[in-house]
Amino acid sequence: MPPWIYGLGGVGALLLLLWPRRASAMTSSDAQFARAVPREAQPYAAVYLRVARERQIDPNLLVAVAMRESRSGAAIGGPGGTGDYGHGHGIMQIDDRSFGPWLQANNWADPYTNIKKGAQVWKGKRDYIKSKLPNISEGELIKASIAAYNTGEGNVVKSLKAGKPADTTTAH
């Protein structure tokens, strides 16, 4: 297990639960991954794996974001539910204030479509933070990008530059 995972607080605890027993979920069996994720994420385990392979992201990170945002849809009544006072859409809580045109043009209630967009959003936030903080450690980058998914990358960069934790402005 990579050492950075231990410094992630609550997100780290979730990742520890999700971390596969073999080297990577990308090489472990789909069934093993499906058994390792929280109960709420199990119906979408194959989707998380598919998107992770396509986007070259650890599937555990996708599950961690989805669990934090919507308990993998369970907190919002399923993959077609909304949260955040109607602004967050689907499993990954794609926000209409940032992605309104995308939401209107795509079937955001489809788990694959929603998780794929969430992966794209997460990767974009990670890349932005890395560009603004090029010396950030891998562990801090993961933590910061998960926080940025919830609160915005600008807020996270501002917090980190001020010496505050990455998740200072996230919804807890």
Side-chain angles (χ1 to χ4, degrees):
M1 180 154 334
W4 55 260
I5 207 164
Y6 295 101
L8 298 181
V11 171
L14 180 59
L15 287 172
L16 282 172
L17 290 173
L18 299 175
W19 202 264
R21 289 179 174 79
R22 292 198 273 170
S24 163
M26 302 302 277
T27 59
S28 63
S29 73
D30 291 0
Q32 180 185 9
F33 176 79
R35 287 190 304 272
V37 299
R39 178 184 46 79
E40 298 93 340
Q42 289 175 357
Y44 313 109
V47 177
Y48 289 117
L49 282 167
R50 178 179 171 194
V51 171
R53 288 178 181 124
E54 291 172 359
R55 298 287 183 177
Q56 298 178 345
I57 297 175
D58 185 326
N60 296 296
L61 292 173
L62 293 176
V63 173
V65 170
M67 290 300 293
R68 180 175 184 164
E69 291 294 318
S70 73
R71 281 193 11 251
S72 208
I76 56 170
T82 60
D84 190 18
Y85 304 103
H87 293 293
H89 294 73
I91 291 169
M92 300 299 280
Q93 288 293 277
I94 308 300
D95 196 294
D96 60 13
R97 294 165 289 195
S98 299
F99 302 101
W102 182 90
L103 288 163
Q104 291 175 3
N106 291 276
N107 181 9
W108 60 265
D110 171 63
Y112 171 75
T113 302
N114 193 272
I115 293 169
K116 186 175 176 181
K117 181 63 174 179
Q120 177 189 8
V121 169
W122 180 84
K123 229 175 175 181
K125 292 178 182 302
R126 185 201 61 200
D127 293 348
Y128 177 86
I129 293 166
K130 183 70 174 168
S131 76
K132 297 297 183 188
L133 304 168
N135 296 323
I136 192 169
S137 71
E138 183 65 21
E140 282 300 311
L141 180 59
I142 298 294
K143 184 176 182 177
S145 58
I146 291 172
Y149 194 95
N150 182 270
T151 191
E153 58 273 34
N155 290 329
V156 169
V157 169
K158 184 189 285 186
S159 292
L160 291 172
K161 285 185 174 183
K164 297 178 182 175
D167 62 355
T168 298
T169 61
T170 61
H172 294 288

